[in-house]
């Protein structure tokens, strides 16, 4: 009973304090003064700077304890063209690999897979390359002899 009363009192104090709190910074400027000020003056970009694509690149590869390998990589060049791929291969040998390009002509992808039920039916700007699943090959997560040879791209 005393524990519930303690939690009730603490909750009431916290709610009261939070509802009466008015934020201000340490320099003494009040919140109302800050919310109406223009803080974007120094951040303005020219239309040329704003329109210029910023190149980037990233990638990751991951293998979990069940033998599933996942990957993704993407890069964008100075012209704004984005190229990348992502996919996985599970411990049964089923895989999906998608390569794509996004450019001035739109988004174009190629799907390569051996997943059951996927046929060679292209859709929009996606090319599908479906293969029959391979024979079941169990690879133990303890088997590290071929951990680096799981690259299927």
């Amino acid at each position: 009973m005393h524990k519930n009363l303690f939690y009730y009192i603490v909750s009431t104090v916290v709610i009261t304090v939070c509802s009466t709190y008015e934020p201000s910074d340490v320099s003494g400027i009040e919140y109302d003064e800050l919310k109406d000020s223009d803080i974007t003056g120094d951040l303005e970009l020219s239309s040329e700077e704003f329109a210029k694509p910023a190149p980037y690149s990233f990638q990751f590869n991951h293998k979990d304890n069940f033998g599933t390998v996942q990957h993704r990589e993407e890069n964008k060049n100075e012209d704004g063209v984005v190229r990348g791929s992502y996919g996985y291969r599970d411990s049964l040998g089923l895989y999906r690999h998608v390569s794509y390009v996004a450019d001035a002509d739109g988004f174009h992808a190629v799907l390569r897979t051996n997943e059951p039920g996927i046929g060679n039916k292209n859709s929009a700007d996606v090319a599908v390359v479906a293969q029959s699943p391979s024979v079941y090959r169990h690879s133990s997560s303890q088997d590290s002899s071929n951990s680096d040879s799981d690259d299927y791209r």
Side-chain angles (χ1 to χ4, degrees):
M1 178 75 171
H2 295 333
K3 189 187 281 186
N4 289 340
L5 180 61
F6 172 76
Y7 288 128
Y8 173 76
I9 292 171
V10 170
S11 299
T12 304
V13 170
V14 168
I15 290 170
T16 303
V17 169
C18 291
S19 66
T20 59
Y21 176 73
E22 291 187 29
S24 66
D25 73 48
V26 292
S27 67
I29 299 174
E30 294 298 321
Y31 173 73
D32 289 333
E33 295 174 38
L34 287 174
K35 74 177 184 180
D36 295 328
S37 66
D38 180 21
I39 60 171
T40 62
D42 295 337
L43 302 176
E44 292 183 23
L45 298 174
S46 70
S47 59
E48 184 178 300
E49 290 174 315
F50 184 74
K52 184 178 178 183
Y56 66 84
S57 180
F58 70 87
Q59 71 175 17
F60 77 84
N61 292 292
H62 174 72
K63 182 175 183 179
D64 67 18
N65 293 337
F66 302 103
T68 300
V69 178
Q70 297 182 48
H71 71 89
R72 174 143 188 222
E73 62 182 282
E74 182 175 287
N75 64 65
K76 179 171 150 183
N77 66 19
E78 300 81 20
D79 296 326
V81 176
V82 177
R83 297 179 191 282
S85 66
Y86 61 90
Y88 74 93
R89 177 185 294 276
D90 70 13
S91 62
L92 301 176
L94 294 177
Y95 69 89
R96 173 178 286 213
H97 178 85
V98 178
S99 301
Y100 58 90
V101 175
D103 57 16
D105 295 326
F107 182 82
H108 318 283
V110 175
L111 165 64
R112 297 186 195 301
T113 185
N114 67 351
E115 296 169 291
I118 306 288
N120 288 316
K121 297 178 184 174
N122 297 342
S123 171
D125 278 335
V126 177
V128 179
V129 181
Q131 299 174 345
S132 298
S134 58
V135 177
Y136 172 76
R137 180 181 60 91
H138 179 71
S139 61
S140 167
S141 62
Q142 304 292 328
D143 181 17
S144 61
S145 63
N146 64 354
S147 62
D148 293 329
S149 65
D150 288 333
D151 188 17
Y152 52 89
R153 293 179 273 165

